[in-house]
Tab-separated table of all heavy atoms in Angstrom:
chain	number	residue	atom	x	y	z
A	30	VAL	N	9.189	-5.639	9.562
A	30	VAL	CA	10.177	-5.687	8.453
A	30	VAL	C	10.599	-4.265	8.052
A	30	VAL	O	11.769	-4.020	7.748
A	30	VAL	CB	9.634	-6.520	7.275
A	30	VAL	CG1	10.563	-6.439	6.083
A	30	VAL	CG2	9.467	-7.993	7.707
A	31	ALA	N	9.623	-3.339	8.075
A	31	ALA	CA	9.941	-1.964	7.750
A	31	ALA	C	11.020	-1.392	8.674
A	31	ALA	O	11.905	-0.652	8.238
A	31	ALA	CB	8.687	-1.114	7.818
A	32	GLN	N	10.939	-1.770	9.926
A	32	GLN	CA	11.964	-1.307	10.918
A	32	GLN	C	13.367	-1.831	10.588
A	32	GLN	O	14.335	-1.183	10.888
A	32	GLN	CB	11.531	-1.729	12.333
A	32	GLN	CG	10.272	-1.090	12.832
A	32	GLN	CD	10.375	0.407	12.974
A	32	GLN	OE1	11.396	0.944	13.328
A	32	GLN	NE2	9.283	1.092	12.694
A	33	LYS	N	13.448	-3.013	9.974
A	33	LYS	CA	14.724	-3.607	9.657
A	33	LYS	C	15.398	-2.953	8.443
A	33	LYS	O	16.570	-3.141	8.228
A	33	LYS	CB	14.577	-5.111	9.386
A	33	LYS	CG	14.190	-5.938	10.578
A	33	LYS	CD	14.045	-7.405	10.182
A	33	LYS	CE	13.519	-8.245	11.331
A	33	LYS	NZ	14.600	-8.800	12.108
A	34	PHE	N	14.587	-2.242	7.624
A	34	PHE	CA	15.110	-1.675	6.400
A	34	PHE	C	14.784	-0.165	6.341
A	34	PHE	O	13.937	0.254	5.569
A	34	PHE	CB	14.507	-2.385	5.188
A	34	PHE	CG	14.922	-3.835	5.056
A	34	PHE	CD1	14.103	-4.823	5.585
A	34	PHE	CD2	16.113	-4.177	4.442
A	34	PHE	CE1	14.471	-6.164	5.495
A	34	PHE	CE2	16.507	-5.496	4.366
A	34	PHE	CZ	15.707	-6.493	4.878
A	35	PRO	N	15.485	0.626	7.132
A	35	PRO	CA	15.155	2.074	7.180
A	35	PRO	C	15.483	2.819	5.885
A	35	PRO	O	15.075	3.929	5.660
A	35	PRO	CB	16.028	2.585	8.326
A	35	PRO	CG	17.106	1.584	8.510
A	35	PRO	CD	16.531	0.269	8.059
A	36	ASP	N	16.255	2.176	5.008
A	36	ASP	CA	16.627	2.782	3.747
A	36	ASP	C	15.568	2.575	2.640
A	36	ASP	O	15.696	3.117	1.537
A	36	ASP	CB	17.986	2.205	3.266
A	36	ASP	CG	17.950	0.680	3.081
A	36	ASP	OD1	17.301	0.032	3.940
A	36	ASP	OD2	18.595	0.184	2.185
A	37	ILE	N	14.517	1.862	2.950
A	37	ILE	CA	13.425	1.577	1.986
A	37	ILE	C	12.153	2.176	2.539
A	37	ILE	O	11.881	2.116	3.734
A	37	ILE	CB	13.309	0.060	1.790
A	37	ILE	CG1	14.575	-0.457	1.143
A	37	ILE	CG2	12.091	-0.234	0.907
A	37	ILE	CD1	14.632	-1.970	1.046
A	38	LEU	N	11.337	2.691	1.635
A	38	LEU	CA	10.062	3.265	2.041
A	38	LEU	C	8.978	2.198	2.033
A	38	LEU	O	8.775	1.498	1.040
A	38	LEU	CB	9.633	4.410	1.119
A	38	LEU	CG	8.341	5.085	1.558
A	38	LEU	CD1	8.526	5.817	2.875
A	38	LEU	CD2	7.858	5.984	0.472
A	39	PHE	N	8.356	2.010	3.188
A	39	PHE	CA	7.181	1.124	3.317
A	39	PHE	C	5.968	1.974	3.509
A	39	PHE	O	5.943	2.855	4.385
A	39	PHE	CB	7.378	0.194	4.517
A	39	PHE	CG	8.366	-0.915	4.319
A	39	PHE	CD1	9.751	-0.638	4.396
A	39	PHE	CD2	7.975	-2.182	4.034
A	39	PHE	CE1	10.684	-1.638	4.186
A	39	PHE	CE2	8.899	-3.190	3.823
A	39	PHE	CZ	10.227	-2.926	3.903
A	40	ALA	N	4.992	1.760	2.640
A	40	ALA	CA	3.759	2.585	2.689
A	40	ALA	C	2.531	1.719	2.746
A	40	ALA	O	2.586	0.504	2.412
A	40	ALA	CB	3.736	3.481	1.450
A	41	LYS	N	1.430	2.318	3.162
A	41	LYS	CA	0.154	1.614	3.227
A	41	LYS	C	-0.943	2.428	2.551
A	41	LYS	O	-0.937	3.650	2.669
A	41	LYS	CB	-0.220	1.355	4.682
A	41	LYS	CG	0.745	0.460	5.419
A	41	LYS	CD	0.436	0.249	6.884
A	41	LYS	CE	-0.701	-0.671	7.120
A	41	LYS	NZ	-0.511	-2.069	6.895
A	42	VAL	N	-1.839	1.721	1.848
A	42	VAL	CA	-2.993	2.384	1.237
A	42	VAL	C	-4.248	1.732	1.812
A	42	VAL	O	-4.482	0.534	1.629
A	42	VAL	CB	-2.978	2.215	-0.280
A	42	VAL	CG1	-4.255	2.803	-0.889
A	42	VAL	CG2	-1.749	2.858	-0.892
A	43	ASP	N	-5.035	2.512	2.534
A	43	ASP	CA	-6.318	2.092	3.042
A	43	ASP	C	-7.281	2.175	1.882
A	43	ASP	O	-7.637	3.265	1.457
A	43	ASP	CB	-6.744	2.961	4.193
A	43	ASP	CG	-8.099	2.611	4.771
A	43	ASP	OD1	-8.833	1.783	4.176
A	43	ASP	OD2	-8.442	3.153	5.814
A	44	ILE	N	-7.718	1.017	1.366
A	44	ILE	CA	-8.572	1.015	0.171
A	44	ILE	C	-9.944	1.627	0.430
A	44	ILE	O	-10.604	2.052	-0.526
A	44	ILE	CB	-8.728	-0.394	-0.448
A	44	ILE	CG1	-9.472	-1.315	0.491
A	44	ILE	CG2	-7.376	-0.934	-0.849
A	44	ILE	CD1	-9.963	-2.579	-0.166
A	45	GLU	N	-10.382	1.710	1.655
A	45	GLU	CA	-11.659	2.358	2.005
A	45	GLU	C	-11.505	3.876	1.864
A	45	GLU	O	-12.415	4.561	1.380
A	45	GLU	CB	-12.105	1.998	3.395
A	45	GLU	CG	-12.485	0.526	3.560
A	45	GLU	CD	-13.747	0.183	2.776
A	45	GLU	OE1	-14.745	0.905	2.850
A	45	GLU	OE2	-13.733	-0.868	2.102
A	46	ALA	N	-10.364	4.382	2.303
A	46	ALA	CA	-10.128	5.846	2.289
A	46	ALA	C	-9.659	6.299	0.892
A	46	ALA	O	-9.855	7.471	0.529
A	46	ALA	CB	-9.135	6.237	3.317
A	47	GLU	N	-9.032	5.366	0.133
A	47	GLU	CA	-8.432	5.714	-1.163
A	47	GLU	C	-8.915	4.768	-2.255
A	47	GLU	O	-8.107	4.061	-2.867
A	47	GLU	CB	-6.896	5.652	-1.054
A	47	GLU	CG	-6.317	6.648	-0.093
A	47	GLU	CD	-6.519	8.109	-0.509
A	47	GLU	OE1	-6.622	8.383	-1.711
A	47	GLU	OE2	-6.583	8.960	0.374
A	48	PRO	N	-10.218	4.718	-2.530
A	48	PRO	CA	-10.707	3.766	-3.521
A	48	PRO	C	-10.172	4.025	-4.941
A	48	PRO	O	-9.968	3.091	-5.731
A	48	PRO	CB	-12.237	3.929	-3.473
A	48	PRO	CG	-12.457	5.299	-2.894
A	48	PRO	CD	-11.316	5.507	-1.952
A	49	GLU	N	-9.912	5.320	-5.278
A	49	GLU	CA	-9.381	5.611	-6.575
A	49	GLU	C	-7.978	5.005	-6.793
A	49	GLU	O	-7.673	4.459	-7.853
A	49	GLU	CB	-9.332	7.099	-6.838
A	49	GLU	CG	-10.658	7.801	-6.810
A	49	GLU	CD	-11.022	8.238	-5.391
A	49	GLU	OE1	-10.199	8.201	-4.441
A	49	GLU	OE2	-12.179	8.656	-5.183
A	50	LEU	N	-7.159	5.101	-5.765
A	50	LEU	CA	-5.823	4.550	-5.818
A	50	LEU	C	-5.872	3.029	-5.927
A	50	LEU	O	-5.138	2.421	-6.711
A	50	LEU	CB	-5.031	4.978	-4.586
A	50	LEU	CG	-3.507	4.986	-4.656
A	50	LEU	CD1	-2.988	5.710	-5.864
A	50	LEU	CD2	-2.964	5.635	-3.384
A	51	ALA	N	-6.782	2.426	-5.190
A	51	ALA	CA	-6.939	0.965	-5.329
A	51	ALA	C	-7.413	0.561	-6.726
A	51	ALA	O	-6.956	-0.389	-7.301
A	51	ALA	CB	-7.943	0.472	-4.253
A	52	ALA	N	-8.297	1.352	-7.294
A	52	ALA	CA	-8.753	1.118	-8.640
A	52	ALA	C	-7.697	1.285	-9.673
A	52	ALA	O	-7.550	0.537	-10.650
A	52	ALA	CB	-9.975	2.030	-8.940
A	53	ASP	N	-6.808	2.292	-9.454
A	53	ASP	CA	-5.688	2.552	-10.395
A	53	ASP	C	-4.801	1.314	-10.522
A	53	ASP	O	-4.222	1.088	-11.572
A	53	ASP	CB	-4.824	3.706	-9.892
A	53	ASP	CG	-5.520	5.069	-10.074
A	53	ASP	OD1	-6.560	5.137	-10.780
A	53	ASP	OD2	-4.994	6.041	-9.473
A	54	PHE	N	-4.678	0.547	-9.455
A	54	PHE	CA	-3.840	-0.653	-9.451
A	54	PHE	C	-4.645	-1.943	-9.542
A	54	PHE	O	-4.086	-3.012	-9.358
A	54	PHE	CB	-2.906	-0.657	-8.225
A	54	PHE	CG	-1.817	0.330	-8.322
A	54	PHE	CD1	-1.941	1.615	-7.792
A	54	PHE	CD2	-0.675	0.058	-9.060
A	54	PHE	CE1	-0.964	2.572	-7.907
A	54	PHE	CE2	0.346	0.998	-9.199
A	54	PHE	CZ	0.202	2.265	-8.628
A	55	ASN	N	-5.928	-1.783	-9.843
A	55	ASN	CA	-6.820	-2.959	-10.055
A	55	ASN	C	-6.788	-3.929	-8.851
A	55	ASN	O	-6.694	-5.145	-9.035
A	55	ASN	CB	-6.466	-3.660	-11.360
A	55	ASN	CG	-7.591	-4.531	-11.885
A	55	ASN	OD1	-8.752	-4.237	-11.614
A	55	ASN	ND2	-7.246	-5.559	-12.604
A	56	ILE	N	-6.828	-3.368	-7.653
A	56	ILE	CA	-6.770	-4.195	-6.454
A	56	ILE	C	-8.099	-4.897	-6.284
A	56	ILE	O	-9.142	-4.270	-6.179
A	56	ILE	CB	-6.486	-3.325	-5.197
A	56	ILE	CG1	-5.152	-2.562	-5.376
A	56	ILE	CG2	-6.455	-4.159	-3.967
A	56	ILE	CD1	-3.928	-3.417	-5.623
A	57	ARG	N	-8.072	-6.226	-6.278
A	57	ARG	CA	-9.287	-7.039	-6.136
A	57	ARG	C	-9.282	-7.896	-4.900
A	57	ARG	O	-10.322	-8.342	-4.440
A	57	ARG	CB	-9.482	-7.933	-7.380
A	57	ARG	CG	-9.603	-7.166	-8.655
A	57	ARG	CD	-11.019	-6.600	-8.808
A	57	ARG	NE	-11.184	-5.884	-10.031
A	57	ARG	CZ	-11.342	-4.585	-10.108
A	57	ARG	NH1	-11.358	-3.848	-9.009
A	57	ARG	NH2	-11.495	-3.974	-11.269
A	58	SER	N	-8.097	-8.161	-4.372
A	58	SER	CA	-7.937	-8.940	-3.151
A	58	SER	C	-6.941	-8.252	-2.230
A	58	SER	O	-5.966	-7.672	-2.714
A	58	SER	CB	-7.399	-10.331	-3.463
A	58	SER	OG	-8.290	-11.050	-4.281
A	59	ILE	N	-7.188	-8.333	-0.938
A	59	ILE	CA	-6.290	-7.733	0.035
A	59	ILE	C	-6.012	-8.740	1.134
A	59	ILE	O	-6.855	-9.637	1.378
A	59	ILE	CB	-6.865	-6.419	0.593
A	59	ILE	CG1	-8.276	-6.584	1.143
A	59	ILE	CG2	-6.791	-5.315	-0.450
A	59	ILE	CD1	-8.823	-5.343	1.867
């Protein structure tokens, strides 16, 4: 889907590598 919309930014957060970022957004399920 990211390839179909080059005008939009698609990003990924690895919760293992970025636990603080996951906590900032209260990520409980993935």
Side-chain angles (χ1 to χ4, degrees):
V30 173
Q32 295 297 325
K33 292 180 186 268
F34 295 95
D36 57 323
I37 296 172
L38 183 68
F39 286 78
K41 296 177 77 70
V42 175
D43 179 350
I44 65 165
E45 293 292 314
E47 299 294 331
E49 299 89 8
L50 203 49
D53 287 348
F54 287 95
N55 201 28
I56 303 301
R57 299 283 180 248
S58 297
I59 53 174

